Amino acid sequence: MFHPILHPLACLGVIFLVICGVLTGSASLSLGADIIISGTVSLPQNQAAPSGGIDVDINVYSSPIGWYENTVTIAQGQSSANYSINVSDDAAASWTVSYSYQGNDYLRNGYYATSGTTWNSSDATSLPGGQNHTGINLTLLSGKIISGSISLSDGDSPPTDGISVEVDVRSATGIGYGYGAGGQSAWYEMNDINITQSDPQPEYEFRVPNDSNLSFEVNYRLWLWGNNDLPYLDKGYFQSPTITTWIEDNGSPVSGGTDHNDINLTLIRAKTISGSLSLPNGQTAHDDMCFTINAKSAQGSFARRMGIESNQTDGDYTIKIPDDGNVGWKIFFNHLESCQWWSPPTDYPYWGVGFYADGHTVLHEEDAASLQGGQDYTDIDMTVSEGYTLSGSITLPDNRTASNDIKLFIRAEIKGSSNNDPMHPGFGYGYGAPMTFADESLVYRSITIPRGQSSTSYTLTISPETNIEWNVQYTCTEGCSGYNSPGYYKTNTETTDNPALATPLQGGEEHSGINLILLKKNEHLSFPVRSKDGKVVIITL
């Protein structure tokens, strides 16, 4: 069956489910089906399928066409099964063939390669479109086993309804699905485990790639929903069979290429920090507002989401920290642009970050209070600050129109700050980076120049500080062919790629008409040169 590339959240609700079903069916009929990809899927080492057989999904994918899939069964007592999939006749396609398996006896995913089935998607062999392919054979991968148990801290008993915990195993070379360090495909799997009164130390087992070049991190995550009142940290990392640490750098990855057992995890006891977050001067939210509350130390950090509901002036929060009296914690908030990342952003006249400082809120971490760990805290209240609006547009040069969507980040940063790469801040719990974000020295927003258009507008909220200056820049992330990036605001009619030539904007006031123009390739090209006396100077052509 063919699946067009649809956003996974586009099918929310009964009406949208019907629409997605219709779209899926119609797309399947509209594409050619003259090309066949076929082969076999086999069990390793001539193993025979058990009673009931083994179901395997065969997937064929090409961007931007989408993917096709077919489920085949290796029958009881058999070691292989044939498959055949009709795909689009698009000659521009480049097909990747893989299997998906839902059991526990083999790796859940493997990719076709001429050298043999591989776990690593970057090693897959692509098949050219517009022609049939036979003998595209796949073998389920046995992998290696990582297993252990998970339990509560000594002396603790599970509640009546138990505790649901996620156990994660990921390759230390990269996080999540996709690509890790050095371009190597990362391995990531998770299992939900229930700690109950009848089974207070349940066991888990993972199949991981049989690759001695990899190592694997093992950790637990205690998700927010339903677990907020439990006295345990939201995450912990395997350090040894008897030690689970909250400090990620202290975790001990296990080596690839061999089986591991006794990779045991224990939920870490926690203390609670609670308080409220308020809007300034009794103002009420005109729509639901969402924030992350962060606890940060030199060894690690924790984050939880909270909200101020529409027509309310404040909201309550709680966040867990380790039961460790040797660590100091700074508490701060970040404002998210919307409560669901798929929702359109909402503009608010507030600065997006603030730090707790002994009964009031400050704008910089260096001024924040440090709360000593090892104890509970209440009434750690913070207030959002009003900010100033900075707005303008970003335009293509020479009256051009975009042939495809051009995606950019527009960013205002305090002049002289040393923020390195804030483009992907972490918020924990898989929330990822929002499309608008502020830390103590910058704010950025994702914007798009739509296909067929020549410009788009933007609005940012900068901090209320008066003794600072702001530099404004764009960074192009998609559809950027033919344009230089980044580009810095110089005047309303001139953009430069040289940050030294950027025109700073005074803090503590509104700014409008801060317009940028995408730089054409090789226009205003700047580069560093070392002079005879050893100094580095910027040359602009």
Side-chain angles (χ1 to χ4, degrees), residues 174-235:
I175 294 177
Y177 301 101
Y179 295 92
Q184 187 173 42
S185 179
W187 182 266
Y188 172 81
E189 282 193 8
M190 62 184 183
N191 282 332
D192 289 325
I193 309 294
N194 292 316
I195 303 174
T196 63
Q197 291 182 348
S198 61
D199 190 6
Q201 192 171 356
E203 296 180 346
Y204 71 87
E205 180 178 295
F206 289 90
R207 293 269 176 174
V208 299
N210 181 12
D211 189 334
S212 59
N213 294 316
L214 294 179
S215 59
F216 298 93
E217 298 173 352
V218 183
N219 63 79
Y220 80 78
R221 289 192 178 271
L222 192 61
W223 291 91
L224 304 182
W225 41 91
N227 294 319
N228 201 39
D229 296 330
L230 296 173
Y232 304 106
L233 282 183
D234 303 324
K235 58 186 177 182

Side-chain angles (χ1 to χ4, degrees), residues 355-362 367-369 371 378-383:
F355 296 80
Y356 175 77
D358 296 328
H360 62 284
T361 305
V362 295
D367 300 321
L371 305 181
T378 59
D379 300 324
I380 305 302
D381 302 332
M382 294 178 285
T383 302

Side-chain angles (χ1 to χ4, degrees), residues 402-474:
S403 57
N404 292 290
D405 287 355
I406 299 177
K407 297 184 178 181
L408 311 103
F409 281 101
I410 191 76
R411 167 174 161 180
E413 183 171 1
I414 295 176
K415 182 181 178 181
S417 63
S418 58
N419 201 303
N420 293 321
D421 183 13
M423 302 306 289
H424 299 289
F427 284 92
Y429 312 109
Y431 291 124
M435 293 298 96
T436 298
F437 174 76
D439 76 0
E440 61 179 321
S441 64
L442 66 87
V443 59
Y444 71 74
R445 161 164 282 181
S446 172
I447 58 175
T448 299
I449 300 177
R451 178 181 179 181
Q453 300 296 312
S454 60
S455 66
T456 191
S457 59
Y458 72 88
T459 300
L460 299 173
T461 300
I462 56 177
S463 80
E465 298 170 279
T466 60
N467 59 340
I468 57 174
E469 293 180 314
W470 295 88
N471 283 330
V472 180
Q473 72 173 80
Y474 75 80

